[in-house]
Amino acid sequence: MPIHSIVIYGEPVLHRRAEKITDFDDELATLIADMHETLDASNGVGLAAPQIGVAKRIFVFNAEDDAGVRRRGTFINPLLIASKIPDTRPDPDEETEGCLSVPSLDFPLKRADRVTVNGVDETGKSVSLTAEGWFARIMQHEYDHLQGTLYVDRLDKRWSKKWKKEQAANGYNVPGRSWTPGVDPDPFGH
């Protein structure tokens, strides 16, 4: 199972809606296994197929929830239902997000505190997960990738200005850029 390169903001696949999965075959099983291996090598908590250049509606996750329970899984063709996002400003100490496709940067972002995700796993079996807090943030972040939205696209005016400066400084709008976990230096210093 190979580790895939992770594409960086500006790559077209990241900015369009991913395609629904219809074939549950060996090719899909291999892709999902590769995604889990890539996620593990990246030291991230979630990875969507568009992040490895594949425009399919799949994301994988491997993280502890707020209760300290490790959850690892796969969602295919998910539907996310979220509680209302509070109208308050994000707390830079408690509500900061990063992304493997926006290497070395993180910004505060307000998210819904509770979500339910429904979809299917790699065998086509229905799966559902309700999450709160940190884990709900992960689910929203990965689901957004399947919609063609990155967390930096959701930043409020203040943080969006800072993102635009960093985007220009890092060249995060140019197609064809990527990094490979386990080969390139970890952009987050894990």
Side-chain angles (χ1 to χ4, degrees), residues 85-153:
I85 298 173
D87 291 332
T88 56
R89 295 197 51 123
D91 180 338
D93 295 321
E94 299 292 325
E95 297 176 306
T96 296
E97 233 170 273
C99 179
L100 297 172
S101 292
V102 185
S104 75
L105 299 176
D106 54 51
F107 295 100
L109 177 65
K110 206 67 164 168
R111 292 279 193 181
D113 190 53
R114 182 180 172 88
V115 300
T116 298
V117 186
N118 298 304
V120 295
D121 66 12
E122 55 272 16
T123 67
K125 178 184 170 194
S126 291
V127 288
S128 182
L129 176 83
T130 297
E132 295 183 3
W134 164 246
F135 208 79
R137 178 177 294 274
I138 295 167
M139 296 295 104
Q140 291 167 84
H141 182 108
E142 299 310 325
Y143 183 78
D144 274 356
H145 274 298
L146 306 183
Q147 311 313 310
T149 302
L150 281 78
Y151 87 100
V152 290
D153 300 326

Side-chain angles (χ1 to χ4, degrees), residues 23-111:
D23 295 325
F24 292 80
D25 54 16
D26 290 344
E27 185 177 326
L28 177 65
T30 299
L31 173 62
I32 292 168
D34 290 355
M35 287 176 66
H36 276 288
E37 188 167 342
T38 302
L39 175 61
D40 292 345
S42 75
N43 297 306
V45 294
L47 181 70
Q51 292 183 273
I52 60 167
V54 178
K56 300 288 184 186
R57 296 188 67 74
I58 307 166
F59 72 79
V60 299
F61 57 91
N62 184 5
E64 287 186 3
D65 63 18
D66 287 353
V69 175
R70 175 138 315 261
R71 296 180 184 225
R72 178 182 171 97
T74 303
F75 273 105
I76 299 171
N77 301 330
L79 175 63
L80 182 136
I81 303 160
S83 63
K84 184 176 182 331
I85 298 173
D87 291 332
T88 56
R89 295 197 51 123
D91 180 338
D93 295 321
E94 299 292 325
E95 297 176 306
T96 296
E97 233 170 273
C99 179
L100 297 172
S101 292
V102 185
S104 75
L105 299 176
D106 54 51
F107 295 100
L109 177 65
K110 206 67 164 168
R111 292 279 193 181

